Amino acid sequence: MRNTTERLSTPGSLKKSILKSTPPSFMQAGMGPCGDLADNARLAEIAAKIYDNNGIVSAVCHGPAGLVNIRLSNGKYLVDGKKINAFTNEEEAAVGLEKVVPFMLETTLIERGAKFEKSGLWQNHVTTDQRVITGQNPQSAKSVGEAVLTELKKLK
């Protein structure tokens, strides 16, 4: 624990530690942090490096907002050409928040080149594509965790 605490308190060491061990990255969020995740350049940089170093990037519900602005070392968006899912436009409308969230997540992911997959409202739906694992809504959280474990076993 002391080692971890020391690393966390030393500027830049968390980033170095993360990049050395390439653990899976996981983003979970409600609608509130949606804009914060999308606009967080440090988060995008760390997640891109994890992915570029053969790591796993995962997110559930509004968490894929953290994926929309991640660019890889080749300049492409992380989600470009990949099967991705997240909280859908229909789910956003069903809870009456389509005019409250900073952007419609499904629409933005598609604009970034994602092959968006979805199930009906509130259904468990997980998509895994090239070490990117996404879940549609809170009902998908456990399945995202299980998919991350499955993917980690493939990397060993």
Side-chain angles (χ1 to χ4, degrees):
M1 182 65 150
R2 173 183 250 193
N3 235 355
T4 302
T5 304
E6 287 171 9
R7 284 189 300 170
L8 292 175
S9 64
T10 306
S13 66
L14 175 61
K15 182 176 166 183
K16 288 176 193 166
S17 176
I18 286 172
L19 298 180
K20 265 191 217 169
S21 60
T22 42
S25 164
F26 177 73
M27 296 174 218
Q28 180 277 329
M31 64 152 199
C34 206
D36 294 338
L37 288 174
D39 295 334
N40 190 319
R42 271 190 81 114
L43 175 66
E45 177 189 357
I46 290 169
K49 288 193 176 173
I50 287 171
Y51 186 81
D52 280 338
N53 286 307
N54 204 37
I56 298 166
V57 175
S58 62
V60 68
C61 194
H62 286 88
L67 307 180
V68 299
N69 290 320
I70 296 174
R71 287 193 183 262
L72 301 175
S73 58
N74 65 9
K76 291 185 175 186
Y77 285 110
L78 169 70
V79 299
D80 188 19
K82 292 180 184 71
K83 296 178 206 166
I84 302 289
N85 72 17
F87 207 68
T88 67
N89 290 348
E90 293 83 5
E91 286 170 321
E92 213 67 80
V95 295
L97 296 173
E98 70 275 18
K99 293 188 179 11
V100 176
V101 291
F103 57 90
M104 295 298 281
L105 188 48
E106 174 183 343
T107 301
T108 303
L109 287 164
I110 291 168
E111 288 169 354
R112 298 289 197 264
K115 298 175 184 175
F116 198 84
E117 293 188 347
K118 59 184 168 182
S119 292
L121 298 176
W122 323 121
Q123 299 302 305
N124 179 4
H125 187 117
V126 174
T127 300
T128 301
D129 192 1
Q130 301 174 53
R131 298 183 317 336
V132 178
I133 302 166
T134 50
Q136 182 170 319
N137 48 41
Q139 290 78 357
S140 309
K142 180 180 178 193
S143 297
V144 168
E146 293 167 346
V148 168
L149 287 174
T150 298
E151 203 64 22
L152 279 170
K153 289 175 186 172
K154 291 179 189 177
L155 296 177
K156 291 186 177 189

